[in-house]
Each structure stands twice: as C-alpha cells, then as structure tokens.
Amino acid sequence: VGNRDDSNLYINMKLKAAAEIGISANHIKLPNTATEADVLKCIASLNGDPAVHGFIVQLPLDSDKPINTEKITNAVAPEKDVDGLSSINAGKLSRGDLGDCFIPCTPKGCMELIRQTGVQVAGKRAVVVGRSKIVGAPMHDLLLWNHATVTTCHSKTSTLAEEVAKADILVVAAGKAEMVKGEWIKPGAIVIDCGINHVPDSTKASGKRVVGDVAYSTAKEKASFITPVPGGVGPMTVAMLMQSTVESAQRFLEKFQPGKWNIQYNQLTLKMPVPSDIEISQSSIPKPIDQIAKEVGLLPDELELYGQTKAKVHLSALNRLKNQPDGKYVVVTGITPTPLGEGKSTTTVGLVQALGAHLHQNVFACVRQPSQGPTFGIKGGAAGGGYCQIIPMEEFNLHLTGDIHAITAANNLVAAAIDARMFHELTQTDEALYTRLVPSVSGVRKFSDIQIRRLQKLGINKMDPTALTKEEVKLFVRLDIDPDTITWQRVVDTNDRFLRKITIGQSPTEKGFTRTAHFDITVSSEIMAILALSDGLEDMKKRLGRMVVASSKRGEPVTADDLGVTGALAVLMKDAIKPNLMQTLEVLPVFVHAGPFANIAHGNSSVLADKIALKLVGKEGFVVTEAGFGADIGMEKFFNIKCHYSGLRPHVVVLVATVRALKMHGGGPAVTAGVPLPREYVEENLQLLAKGCSNLNKQIQNAQMFGVPVVVAVNAFKTDTKTELALVVKLAKEAGAFDAVECTHWAEGGKGALALARAVQRASQTPSNFRFLYNVELPVIDKIRLIAQKIYGASDIELLPEAQQKIALYTKQGFGNLPICMAKTHLSLSHDPEQKGAPTGFILPIRDVRASVGAGFLYPLVGTISTMPGLPTRPCFYDIDLDPVSGEINGLF
C-alpha cells in the first residue's frame, strides 16, 4: 500500500529472490488512497485463489486513510500467511505447534543461522533483546520450543548488561544503534544482530552508514559467531520467506490432490418409512454455500451470496477457467411419462450423490429452475424427492434469486413497448413522432445507439437527425405493426386460466384502441429460452435484440431492437444470467439456472451453467444435467438445439423408466394426479409390462440415433416386484442399452444409485460418436419431417394452411436455417396423448409454426399447446402455510 522507497526496496529483493529459484511472484500495488476495505477485499481474493500458495502484506501500510494493521494481518488466511504474522500462527507458535504454523521469517532465519554454527540450542541460556511481534516475541517462543532457557529483555529491563553477559545465544532486535556493547558479551557466545540503523558518517557519500543493534567491532572479539550488518540476518529473512512459500505449496498439494475436490459430504440418516420431502429437507442442515463454492474451486469474488444457502456465480469464473479441460457430460431423460412424472429430477440428484459422496468423483448437477405455477397448482415443486433433493427445497421452489421475476419484468416491458408504440403511431404525425423520439436536449439532437442500429437496418447512413428526408423520417418513426401478427404476449408466473384470453386498451385514455390478447406463464417466455441458450452477456443482448415480436404491414419482422428496448432488457437480465449455486442433501454442488418450457421451448437448463460446471469438475469429473419431458422431446431438443448452440458434446444418456409408466404404455388404465393408482399398477403384471416396453425400446433407439451410449435407470417404487424390475432391465439391454440398472435412490439417497453411477462411469469411457439428427440448412419442412419420422415414428407430416403460410414467411424473412423445436404433447410419442406405447404409421398434423428468433429456433405447433395452465379444484396452496413463530414453511412438496 502506497509507495515508500524502503518498502519498494524490500519488495524488489523478494521478487528477485523468487525469480532466481523459480517461484512465480507478483507485486500487487495499491495506492496510498486505498482504504481498509480495499486492502481487505484484495486479501480476500488472494485467500480464495487456489493458484496462490502464499502472500505477505508489506508493512508499514502507507495510506492516507486510517487502517488497522492488526486487522489486516489477521485477515490473511493462516495457511497462506507465509510471513507468520497472523494471530493464529502466532498462537500456534507460542503453544509449540511448530509443524502446523508459519514462523515469522526473521526469527526463522535467526534459528537457521544458529543451526549453521553447529552449536546445540537445547540446554543453552538464550537472551532476546526486544519483544516486538515480528522478531522479539516469536524469537523467544522459537528458542523456548527448541529447549533453550530463554530470557527476554526490553526497554524496562534495568540490568540489561548483566542479562546479556549470561547469554550463550544472544539475539538483539531492539532498533537502537549499537546499544549492546562488546564488553557485555559472554566469551564464545553466538550473537545474532537483527538491527538496521543509520548513523552519521562523513566518510560516506550519503553522510551516513548502516549499523546494527550490537557494537560489531568490539563484539566480534568476544563472540564465537556474529552476524554482520548489513549482510547477515537480512538475506536470511528473504531466504526463509522463499522456504515458507515452498512449504505452503507442499502442504497445499498434500491436502488437495490436483483436480480433486476436498469436500466433506453429508452422511444421510435414512428413515423408514421415508418422510415427506419437506420434512427431509428441513431436517437437513445445509453447508454454507460459500464453503461449497470454495471446495469446488470458485473464488470469493466470483460469488454473489443470497443468504447462507444460495449464491450467484459470476461469469468471470468461466473466463478464468477457459483453458481447463471439460469433464464428462451426462444428460438425464426419460421414457414417455405418466402425468405423475417418472423421477428424472430425483434420478439426476441420486446419480450425482452416488458419483460424488460415494465414488468420490468431482460432479455437478445442472437443473432447471421451476415455475411457481405448478408449485401452487397441482404438480408441486421440482427439487427432486425423498433422499435425493436440492435443498433448501423451499428456496429452490419459490423465488430463488429472482431470475423468473426478472424475466417477467423484461417480457412485460416488451409487451408494453409494443402497445405504446402502436398507440403513439396511430395518434401522431411523422414529425411529432420524430420530435419525441429524437428530442432536443440543451439545443442538441442526436440519435441513441439503438436508434443508429435501426437507421443502419433501414439503409440510412446518416448521423445528423436534421439531415433525414421526410421519407427517411417516415421509415424511421413508423414500425407500422400489423396487430394481427403480434406474437408477443404478457406473462405472469402463476397458473391463471382467466388470462388465456383478454381484451386490452379498454381505458378511455387509450382512445378506443383495443385488441384481444392473452397472458402466458413466465417460463414460456422467449426471454427464458434466451437465458438458457446464451453463452454470455454479449450473446444474450444480441439475442434479445433479435426477438421478433410482430410483422409490419409490409410483412417485415419487427424486433425488440426496432422497439428500442434491447438495452433496457439487458439491464433487467444482467443478474439473471449468472447461474445459481445450491446443494443436494449429501452436499453435492448444483447449478439451478433457467427453466424454459419443454414444448414451445427446448426444456433444458442453461448453457452457461453447464459450461462453468464442466470446467470446475475437471477432465475426470462429471456434469449431470436433465432434459424436460421424455427423450422424444427434451432429449431431442438438448441435442439438436442446446448442443447446436453450446458446442458441447455429451458422453452418456441416462434414460429413466418406471414400471408404472411402462404398464400404462402396455394398455393400463389412465393415471391421474391426486387419484389412487388403479390395481394394475400396484400388482404384478408382467404381460402388461412387457407390452409397454415398446416405448422404452423406441426411446433407447432415439438416443442411439445421436451416437451416444444409453444407460437405463429403472426407478423403483415400493409397489414394484423384483420380477418386474428384472424384466425391464433384461428388455432394456436387449433393446441395445449399454446397461440397465435398478435404482432405489429415492429411499436410500446416493447409495441407491451406486449401480447407476458405476454404469455411467463405464459408459463414459466408451467412444461417443455424437451426431445431429439433421443439418439446419435443410428446408424447414424437411427438418420437421425428419423429427416426426425418426423420433416419433410417424409415416409423414401434414401441414395445415396456417403452418404452410408461416413456413413461407419465415423462410422469406431469413429464418429458415434455424433449428426446429417441436411443440407437442409429452404424454405420447404421437400428437395424440391417448396413443401409448410406440405408435407408428400416423400422420403428424402441424397446425401452425411460430418463431423464437432471439432464442434461435422455429417451433411448429402439433395440436393445441397451452401456455397458461389453470388451477385445479383443489390446488396445492390449500396445504401450504407459514408458521409465524418459527418462520417455517409447511406443505410444500
């Protein structure tokens, strides 16, 4: 801190010594205006950086702001305090824990000099003159624990000469020139002079010379060994600093295997019967999230804490780790599910806990953030279940860090901008619009950056607002939106069926400009899909600007950039783009980030979370992510959309299957949420099960089309028999799965997914010949047909007139080379949710095609897709409550 000449001299000596022996050393310079907080922030960053094995704070601190030196030295992590000045290291030294602390460099150098004499310290009488924290006091402790009989003298010692005369070993660090006289010294004594003082000397060019605290010329006649000043203790101090730094690096490497995390996992206390999800979650004590972040290799300044159990991770982490090799990439998907779901989230968490807590692999889970709609509706939360949960499940299932609220705000800002722009264009002249859009401020008119982009899009290369012609002004100010083409809707993160169709603009202030519109649920917003597919702030901003919200009356796309809203959207989303860090019950790290719909969007968590996690786990580690709905929907989009944009290549597909779902596909009766399962699902029925495995076979084939090995996880329920489970395993292997295993992780945590984890490990070692299903440059209709025929089993597709018109429009507008995101029911491989098993030969009807240009895909609509769920007769919220005394949440599941 500051720019003292003496400090710079000492620092340069240390840097030179480090360079000579191959230690990478840097000088971090803070100005003399640095505050205590500035210094502490710098220290915190160094404490958390695993690439830094040791650092020192050069004293004194040359700042014009008040700084507590004691607070600063104690802020240095004891394991990196190679100067040995922190209270913890000083305390360990005073207790004699010499092997578990760093010793201040000057006393350590003095002891080394004494050892070099060959004189045994044990049993000798030692005298230390001076009691400073840096030299005197630690020197006393060091001599004492090397078994000398030690006396410390100081400014209040009245018999200094007598005490010095008794010393076999004399260490002087008083800071007073030639204070100890030669005649005081015991003949044959070892004298270590730590002093550096300047005295007048007219024979020197500088007019002064350097002397120690001992009168050297007379003392050397009596001492057997004596250190000169300069050239004695000083070089040894620097040498000991280098030695301590090397020792720190050695300790680090002994404690932390390269590439191997050092995490203390939580050992579960399993109960039978298994308690409710919220009981299990609330009975677990989460580890502080900053501790988990440290254990997985994140730095303190890469973390933004939201309380004790969740944090956002800055994208700077990805840049820091960019040269690290990626780990193994695993995607969890499932067969075509029942309305109850088949446990993909639970399996994802169970697999991660097995790989990490039981097989000691570096492993991260990456999952979607759930909407609050289902949480308060009928489905409940999405934190996993049983002993395979992300915790705290209340925070996971509710607001988390506010990402969904940010998306709601951004989405609705676009919606407001559309209607406001149409209103103003309908009620103002070109000149009036231009005057308001490009106002004069202090007599100066100029275009904003986003307006310049619009001018360039229109081919108008003028920067002076007064230079535009009337025709150019008209082109600039009139988006001329065709209301019938508006595809952008308002959103809210609540299931509200009465917002499925509304009329807006009914206030008299809107002058009769009404139109029919509707609300979608927030997670269906294109902005959510953009969040999930962006690889950084710049990419997200570009995608936001490309969002097409309508067409003009000339048939040209109208974008968020045209509305002038892109920058504001980026500001609203700047924090949402940072992945959220949480943990599982067994203390495995989880990124919870983005939650796009799996029908009109791609149904996968964020690219950024996966990329950061893959770097953190290292080459031998694993990242396990989950794709929404069945393999025909979420997995297909994971490969053809998410992997297309991320450039990442998966190593293993985990396909989750359940006996109950397979029985349903074999012809079992309908399964309804909230209603007891029919008899067929709770009694052994091998015939029904075997028939239903046609769906399992087809989904295995779907995964294999992409060239990735498939491991089937048979998620066992208490109503399943061993014979039924064994049959599914057998048929899965016969269908071409790399392996198939029974899993009991819901009841047993990671232990119940050990067989799955080992199968995934083996599968990840096999060659992955990943390939896309189609080339995005193919015509839109061909891409849709390929998905329908190859993935769903259709014989062909049928384009209804609206779909034909949209394909022609989007191709004309330049969007024909985007990937395809099919929006169809998740309850069947076909478009008909009643068709179970693996139907073939059907014609897939495409009633419409819509564009998410910012996200980067076209989504054909197969049948009717609801983007605003409704509440049932008895929603989940009847059971959700808050204890006003304890603050505990009850009833979530």
Side-chain angles (χ1 to χ4, degrees):
V1 178
N3 197 33
R4 285 175 60 117
D5 290 339
D6 55 350
S7 291
N8 285 326
L9 177 64
Y10 300 146
I11 290 168
N12 287 333
M13 288 171 53
K14 294 164 186 173
L15 291 173
K16 182 181 177 184
E20 287 176 355
I21 62 174
I23 291 177
S24 174
N26 297 301
H27 179 192
I28 298 175
K29 299 178 182 180
L30 298 180
N32 63 359
T33 56
T35 63
E36 185 174 275
D38 293 332
V39 181
L40 290 172
K41 182 179 179 182
C42 183
I43 289 172
S45 177
L46 294 170
N47 283 341
D49 189 344
V52 175
H53 298 114
F55 64 97
I56 66 170
V57 179
Q58 184 68 43
L59 301 177
L61 299 168
D62 178 28
S63 175
D64 56 15
K65 303 288 192 301
I67 296 181
N68 184 329
T69 301
E70 185 81 1
K71 186 175 181 180
I72 295 300
T73 54
N74 281 326
V76 179
E79 66 273 17
K80 295 189 178 186
D81 176 28
V82 290
D83 240 354
L85 300 182
S86 69
S87 296
I88 290 178
N89 278 318
K92 288 182 176 181
L93 173 59
S94 69
R95 295 192 332 182
D97 298 334
L98 305 189
D100 189 34
C101 70
F102 285 111
I103 299 163
C105 299
T106 298
K108 188 175 182 180
C110 293
M111 281 303 301
E112 184 60 31
L113 288 167
I114 294 167
R115 288 192 188 96
Q116 292 293 330
T117 67
V119 175
Q120 291 293 317
V121 175
K124 296 294 188 295
R125 183 180 289 275
V127 173
V128 178
V129 181
R131 54 181 175 181
S132 73
K133 294 178 182 177
I134 296 176
V135 182
M139 192 72 232
H140 172 280
D141 295 335
L142 203 50
L143 286 163
L144 179 67
W145 292 110
N146 277 275
H147 311 299
T149 301
V150 188
T151 300
T152 296
C153 299
H154 44 77
S155 59
K156 302 298 183 184
T157 303
S158 57
T159 55
L160 182 60
E162 293 176 21
E163 297 298 336
V164 168
K166 298 173 186 176
D168 300 314
I169 299 170
L170 176 64
V171 180
V172 186
K176 191 172 180 181
E178 299 183 327
M179 180 185 73
V180 175
K181 309 305 177 185
E183 57 267 24
W184 296 357
I185 293 171
K186 180 179 180 180
I190 297 171
V191 179
I192 307 294
D193 187 352
C194 302
I196 297 180
N197 309 282
H198 294 90
V199 297
D201 188 340
S202 58
T203 66
K204 301 291 184 180
S206 64
K208 57 186 179 181
R209 61 188 170 89
V210 177
V211 298
D213 291 351
V214 178
Y216 182 79
S217 58
T218 53
K220 69 178 182 179
E221 302 300 328
K222 298 187 72 173
S224 59
F225 296 93
I226 186 170
T227 57
V229 177
V233 173
M236 282 302 296
T237 297
V238 175
M240 292 303 101
L241 176 62
M242 301 300 111
Q243 186 182 78
S244 292
T245 304
V246 171
E247 289 173 2
S248 177
Q250 288 173 330
R251 290 177 190 176
F252 176 84
L253 291 174
E254 287 169 6
K255 189 175 180 181
F256 300 100
Q257 297 177 42
K260 204 73 174 171
W261 296 344
N262 186 35
I263 295 184
Q264 283 293 112
Y265 299 109
N266 178 36
Q267 189 167 354
L268 297 175
T269 302
L270 303 176
K271 292 182 180 179
M272 290 299 290
V274 176
S276 71
D277 291 350
I278 196 163
E279 284 180 75
I280 294 172
S281 176
Q282 291 178 344
S283 67
S284 176
I285 300 175
K287 182 184 286 190
I289 202 67
D290 57 340
Q291 180 63 30
I292 291 178
K294 181 180 179 181
E295 290 170 345
V296 303
L298 288 165
L299 306 185
D301 59 2
E302 292 169 345
L303 211 62
E304 195 173 306
L305 294 174
Y306 282 67
Q308 295 294 310
T309 55
K310 56 187 185 290
K312 280 197 165 290
V313 174
H314 289 257
L315 305 190
S316 58
L318 184 57
N319 186 58
R320 175 176 64 85
L321 298 165
K322 62 185 177 184
N323 294 322
Q324 296 293 321
D326 286 346
K328 304 292 174 58
Y329 198 25
V330 180
V331 59
V332 176
T333 185
I335 61 170
T336 305
T338 68
L340 305 179
E342 309 317 310
K344 292 195 309 296
S345 299
T346 306
T347 302
T348 298
V349 175
L351 173 58
V352 165
Q353 291 185 155
L355 284 166
H358 299 269
L359 297 181
H360 307 292
Q361 301 294 306
N362 294 356
V363 60
F364 238 104
C366 291
V367 301
R368 289 183 293 167
Q369 179 184 353
S371 164
Q372 287 180 172
T375 300
F376 293 106
I378 193 168
K379 180 178 178 289
Y387 288 104
C388 293
Q389 293 186 58
I390 298 163
I391 59 169
M393 66 96 80
E394 308 97 302
E395 296 183 18
F396 175 89
N397 284 316
L398 298 176
H399 305 284
L400 197 58
T401 58
D403 294 351
I404 290 180
H405 300 315
I407 291 165
T408 302
N411 184 100
N412 292 345
L413 180 61
V414 177
I418 294 168
D419 289 306
R421 186 59 176 263
M422 287 196 300
F423 173 79
H424 292 307
E425 288 187 24
L426 287 167
T427 56
Q428 296 179 52
T429 65
D430 294 349
E431 191 56 42
L433 281 169
Y434 194 48
T435 299
R436 289 179 171 88
L437 286 170
V438 191
S440 175
V441 180
S442 300
V444 178
R445 295 182 76 183
K446 65 176 186 177
F447 297 115
S448 66
D449 290 343
I450 201 164
Q451 289 176 328
I452 292 170
R453 289 205 296 272
R454 172 151 174 80
L455 288 168
Q456 291 169 343
K457 177 181 176 180
L458 294 170
I460 302 171
N461 298 310
K462 296 177 181 178
M463 300 293 288
D464 181 1
T466 64
L468 269 64
T469 66
K470 283 188 176 182
E471 187 58 35
E472 288 171 338
V473 167
K474 183 181 180 69
L475 277 172
F476 175 73
V477 301
R478 301 241 169 236
L479 300 182
D480 214 15
I481 294 171
D482 180 351
D484 293 335
T485 67
I486 295 172
T487 55
W488 197 268
Q489 305 298 336
R490 289 165 173 81
V491 298
V492 63
D493 196 36
T494 303
N495 289 6
D496 191 344
R497 66 192 323 122
F498 282 90
L499 294 178
R500 289 170 178 169
K501 187 174 183 180
I502 60 173
T503 302
I504 60 172
Q506 295 193 77
S507 169
T509 55
E510 276 38 81
K511 302 180 181 179
F513 295 111
T514 63
R515 68 180 181 91
T516 301
H518 67 262
F519 270 76
D520 294 329
I521 197 162
T522 297
V523 291
S524 71
S525 169
E526 183 177 352
I527 296 177
M528 176 64 90
I530 286 173
L531 176 67
L533 289 169
S534 297
D535 67 5
L537 272 169
E538 185 178 355
D539 181 45
M540 181 180 72
K541 187 176 176 182
K542 288 178 180 176
R543 288 174 179 270
L544 291 169
R546 290 198 300 264
M547 294 186 305
V548 174
V549 301
S551 292
S552 71
K553 291 172 183 175
R554 298 182 299 275
E556 296 167 347
V558 178
T559 67
D561 235 25
D562 293 324
L563 288 166
V565 76
T566 305
L569 299 179
V571 168
L572 285 170
M573 294 294 294
K574 70 179 181 64
D575 292 319
I577 198 171
K578 304 166 192 170
N580 304 296
L581 180 64
M582 295 189 77
Q583 63 191 287
T584 72
L585 284 166
E586 293 187 54
V587 194
L588 276 300
V590 182
F591 275 140
V592 184
H593 199 216
F597 255 29
N599 45 33
I600 68 165
H602 64 293
N604 286 266
S605 60
S606 80
V607 166
L608 278 169
D610 290 0
K611 284 189 171 183
I612 295 172
L614 284 164
K615 295 298 183 186
L616 287 169
V617 299
K619 187 177 181 180
E620 302 303 319
F622 290 83
V623 170
V624 182
T625 189
E626 177 194 341
F629 293 153
D632 55 308
I633 298 180
M635 182 199 72
E636 181 270 317
K637 295 172 184 179
F638 171 83
F639 289 139
N640 286 323
I641 299 175
K642 185 174 182 179
C643 291
H644 170 77
Y645 284 115
S646 71
L648 300 173
R649 298 293 178 262
H651 294 80
V652 184
V653 170
V654 173
L655 185 69
V656 180
T658 62
V659 167
R660 74 181 181 196
L662 292 171
K663 285 181 176 179
M664 178 190 71
H665 286 296
V671 173
T672 306
V675 176
L677 286 170
R679 177 174 54 84
E680 287 85 349
Y681 297 104
V682 296
E683 295 178 1
E684 185 174 288
N685 191 324
L686 299 180
Q687 185 177 357
L688 202 63
L689 181 61
K691 184 180 178 184
C693 280
S694 62
N695 185 272
L696 173 63
N697 296 352
K698 175 57 179 164
Q699 298 289 30
I700 291 172
Q701 291 170 21
N702 284 344
Q704 289 174 328
M705 283 184 204
F706 296 90
V708 184
V710 185
V711 174
V712 173
V714 186
N715 189 15
F717 287 73
K718 62 183 179 182
T719 53
D720 301 337
T721 69
K722 287 292 181 184
T723 308
E724 287 176 327
L725 294 167
L727 177 62
V728 177
V729 168
K730 172 178 175 290
L731 294 177
K733 291 178 180 178
E734 289 176 359
F738 175 87
D739 202 351
V741 294
E742 176 188 340
C743 302
T744 54
H745 45 273
W746 180 81
E748 297 182 294
K751 177 185 173 185
L754 268 172
L756 174 62
R758 292 190 177 104
V760 167
Q761 279 185 305
R762 293 193 305 273
S764 72
Q765 302 301 320
T766 63
S768 176
N769 303 307
F770 177 73
R771 56 187 173 269
F772 294 113
L773 183 67
Y774 55 79
N775 184 331
V776 292
E777 300 299 328
L778 287 173
V780 173
I781 191 169
D782 290 351
K783 289 182 283 193
I784 296 173
R785 183 177 285 113
L786 272 170
I787 295 170
Q789 293 178 334
K790 298 287 187 181
I791 301 296
Y792 306 155
S795 59
D796 205 349
I797 61 173
E798 178 189 8
L799 293 177
L800 301 183
E802 182 72 13
Q804 294 177 21
Q805 292 169 17
K806 290 290 185 63
I807 289 174
L809 174 65
Y810 294 142
T811 302
K812 178 184 175 183
Q813 291 178 338
F815 308 137
N817 61 349
L818 293 176
I820 299 299
C821 182
M822 299 290 282
K824 78 167 187 71
T825 178
H826 62 290
L827 297 174
S828 171
L829 281 163
S830 75
H831 57 286
D832 180 0
E834 301 304 317
Q835 284 199 359
K836 304 302 182 183
T840 58
F842 57 90
I843 304 295
L844 190 76
I846 311 297
R847 71 173 180 85
D848 196 2
V849 178
R850 295 178 187 167
S852 287
V853 177
F857 51 75
L858 301 178
Y859 60 100
L861 298 177
V862 182
T864 302
I865 301 295
S866 173
T867 53
M868 172 52 79
L871 289 172
T873 304
R874 192 185 190 283
C876 300
F877 60 63
Y878 275 89
D879 300 311
I880 297 171
D881 201 359
L882 179 73
D883 186 323
V885 177
S886 67
E888 199 169 82
I889 295 171
N890 302 310
L892 276 178
F893 69 94

